[in-house]
């Protein structure tokens, strides 16, 4: 039997946002590999082995998946959102590069998914309608000063900025520092969107001005989108404003 490895994005949460390509691939898998809560999002099927693991063991998890595919299994590595955005696809290629030559000859495919910032942007309007960038605020894999440099330069370039992994229990201070830096650089009037658990029953969307933003508005299930200097709010009677960035600079 010829094995293969697919690295699939499950989207932000809602089953309707799993692409048909990812669903069809899951239907043919013999093995699911990933962070346990993501594996749990895939309905169990008889005969499918589930290899759920802890959060911080990405390359080890990737090696497990590659070894299974090399044995002839049909393996799907699952990520939330898109697997290429701060997720497992890079970990798999890192393992391929360092691993046995035979792994580079395997049938390996990356299946895109809807990443958190796109689902978040859609829930509020069109904040990413002009040039934007994405920055991961976790300093697990890079030094904090580099994060501050990137934030400063992104503001200077006047990008709208999507902030992934803004805040976790292990890193309570980083986001407060980031907010202080951004407020100083952008001013208190800048629009900012906090989108938590987008497309799940726990979804919470808040649009405020930067001066009113507090660190507690974000947690590890939140993606934050800071507008550019051109990002605008459209007030709506009795509801949240639309937030959008015009397409011309
Ligand atoms: N590969 C994922 C990102 C993984 S990093 C993707 O493409 O979306 C994990 C971070 O993604 C979280 O800390 C949060 O910032 C963001 N995130 C993932 N799912 C989310 C959701 N449903 N709502 C809001 N943010 C989400």
């Amino acid at each position: 039997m010829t094995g293969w490895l697919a690295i699939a994005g499950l989207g932000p949460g809602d089953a309707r946002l799993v692409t048909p390509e990812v669903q069809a691939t899951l239907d043919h898998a013999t093995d699911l590999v990933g962070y346990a809560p993501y594996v749990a999002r895939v309905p169990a099927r008889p005969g499918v082995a589930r290899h759920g693991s802890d959060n911080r063991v990405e390359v080890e998890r990737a090696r497990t998946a590659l070894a299974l595919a090399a044995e002839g299994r049909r393996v799907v590595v699952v990520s939330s959102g898109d697997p290429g955005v701060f997720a497992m696809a890079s970990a798999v290629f890192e393992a391929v590069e360092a691993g046995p030559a035979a792994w580079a000859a395997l049938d390996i495919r990356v299946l895109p998914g809807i990443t958190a910032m796109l689902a978040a942007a859609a829930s509020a309007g069109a904040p990413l309608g002009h040039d934007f960038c994405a920055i991961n605020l976790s300093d697990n894999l890079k030094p904090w000063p580099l994060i501050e440099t990137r934030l400063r330069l992104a503001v200077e370039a006047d990008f709208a900025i999507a902030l992934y992994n803004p805040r976790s229990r292990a890193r309570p201070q980083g986001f407060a520092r980031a907010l202080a830096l951004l407020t100083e650089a952008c001013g208190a009037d800048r629009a900012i969107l906090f989108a938590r658990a987008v497309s799940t029953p726990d979804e919470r969307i808040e649009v405020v001005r930067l001066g009113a933003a507090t660190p507690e508005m974000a947690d590890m299930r939140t993606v934050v989108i800071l507008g550019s200097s051109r990002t605008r709010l459209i007030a709506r009677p009795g509801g949240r404003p639309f937030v959008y960035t015009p397409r011309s600079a």
Side-chain angles (χ1 to χ4, degrees), residues 12 80-82 85-87 115-116 163-166 195-198 200 220-223:
S80 75
D82 181 272
V85 178
F86 310 129
T115 188
L163 301 170
Y164 282 75
N165 281 305
R196 178 173 194 272
V198 178
T200 80
M220 61 187 291
R221 297 183 72 191
T222 307
V223 67

